[in-house]
Amino acid sequence: MLHRGDRQGSVKLFTYDKFRDYYQPEQLLTTLAPMFEAGILGDESRDLIRRSNRFKEVFDLLHRGHDYAELLEAHVGALPSAPGEPEDPESTFALPAGRFYSAVFVDGAKSWFGTKRFMTLALAQTLPGAYYIFQDYGAHTCFWIPVFLELMKAKFQLVAFVDHTYVYRQLAPVSAVEIDAAFPDSPLAFSVADFAGIFRNLYLTARESDNTTTLPITGCGAHAALSYLGQKEADDQIVDPLGAPHSLQHRHWILNALRTPTYTPEGNIDLF
């Protein structure tokens, strides 16, 4: 961004995070020890971390002295995990009216409802041609991201992927009404047959393009979705994620996915 000759002066990179509660204070201090030793961070930052486990101010300090700092704007913004969850207006994710985005990097959509909230807000402020980069598309626990994109497949086009990060181009406007109609507040609104159809479509699309990276992702996602509904046995009626030669390179990841396929707002679903 800094070195693009055609960049307009108003363009910025906006980043949102809850900026707290990822680590215990001493763990975070250990991670940041080289920066304290180099003098990048000082006693004020150390005291702040010990008092609150908050690191927004530390984040700002780390970037403040760089030539790109004027392009970066960080905000506190956490996503709710379920409907009715208490929300703090000061720390809940929100976007200011009137601002439009050309690319949206989605890292942290760690719940079904949080993903719905985020996409509803973001899609209100992007236009056709915008790019959505989903860091956790292939994370076996986050089956809701492939489900959302399958249900909205008329609105998005897959353009690239690297490992578990998938990039989609927005093709058409998407309204909150359309999202509500296609993507309910909880996966419990779907049946086993619903998820079977969704993941069968994802599997067939991947197979038609010989996409051997996405094939095991669809198998693990199907297993996760069914486990969320209470079908807690390894299930191969949709896709067997270990049943093809190309899956051997992902064997360790797939076995972990079969052991702990996903989680709910209350915690992990562990099968064995």
Side-chain angles (χ1 to χ4, degrees):
M1 288 177 66
L2 182 66
H3 297 293
R4 279 193 66 132
D6 60 348
R7 175 174 55 83
Q8 298 179 5
S10 60
V11 169
K12 285 193 174 186
L13 174 64
F14 300 93
T15 183
Y16 292 81
D17 196 278
K18 63 180 183 178
F19 286 110
R20 63 182 307 145
D21 300 330
Y22 292 121
Y23 304 95
Q24 293 298 320
E26 292 306 320
Q27 288 178 299
L28 183 55
L29 288 171
T30 299
T31 301
L32 296 174
M35 296 178 183
F36 285 104
E37 293 167 4
I40 299 170
L41 299 175
D43 291 339
E44 183 180 353
S45 298
R46 183 181 288 107
D47 292 342
L48 179 66
I49 291 170
R50 282 179 171 150
R51 287 197 312 271
S52 68
N53 196 21
R54 187 179 71 202
F55 60 94
K56 168 66 167 59
E57 291 83 357
V58 173
F59 180 92
D60 290 338
L61 282 171
L62 290 175
H63 295 284
R64 186 172 61 189
H66 294 275
D67 52 2
Y68 60 78
E70 64 178 19
L71 301 178
L72 180 62
E73 190 172 307
H75 299 273
V76 174
L79 289 166
S81 297
E85 185 176 287
E87 299 182 25
D88 177 2
E90 297 298 319
S91 59
T92 298
F93 176 77
L95 296 174
R99 178 189 294 161
F100 283 83
Y101 304 89
S102 59
V104 180
F105 184 82
V106 189
D107 180 16
K110 296 299 194 292
S111 70
W112 177 286
F113 184 71
T115 297
K116 178 178 181 177
R117 171 70 66 81
F118 178 85
M119 294 302 292
T120 299
L121 294 174
L123 283 164
Q125 296 182 220
T126 58
L127 300 171
Y131 289 91
Y132 278 78
I133 303 100
F134 294 92
Q135 170 75 7
D136 296 314
Y137 181 98
H140 66 268
T141 53
C142 301
F143 67 91
W144 38 82
I145 298 176
V147 168
F148 182 90
L149 290 162
E150 172 63 17
L151 295 173
M152 294 287 171
K153 62 184 176 182
K155 308 288 189 176
F156 292 95
Q157 178 185 26
L158 176 65
V159 296
F161 64 89
V162 177
D163 296 327
H164 285 181
T165 299
Y166 280 57
V167 182
Y168 282 78
R169 184 173 179 267
Q170 183 182 346
L171 300 177
V174 185
S175 70
V177 172
E178 290 175 297
I179 294 173
D180 271 333
F183 198 79
D185 287 351
S186 167
L188 297 177
F190 287 96
S191 67
V192 169
D194 292 331
F195 279 131
I198 289 168
F199 282 98
R200 172 59 63 185
N201 289 341
L202 285 165
Y203 172 75
L204 292 174
T205 299
R207 192 176 70 176
E208 287 168 5
S209 60
D210 198 26
N211 186 335
T212 57
T213 298
T214 304
L215 284 171
I217 288 173
T218 63
C220 292
H223 179 57
L226 297 180
S227 298
Y228 203 109
L229 297 187
Q231 189 167 319
K232 296 187 177 183
E233 295 181 3
D235 191 290
D236 62 0
Q237 65 176 311
I238 304 171
V239 183
D240 176 3
L242 286 173
H246 58 255
S247 295
L248 293 177
Q249 62 181 315
H250 306 296
R251 183 177 178 83
H252 179 70
W253 162 64
I254 292 171
L255 289 173
N256 285 337
L258 295 175
R259 184 178 300 109
T260 305
T262 189
Y263 53 83
T264 73
E266 287 71 46
N268 285 345
I269 296 175
D270 295 310
L271 302 189
F272 54 88

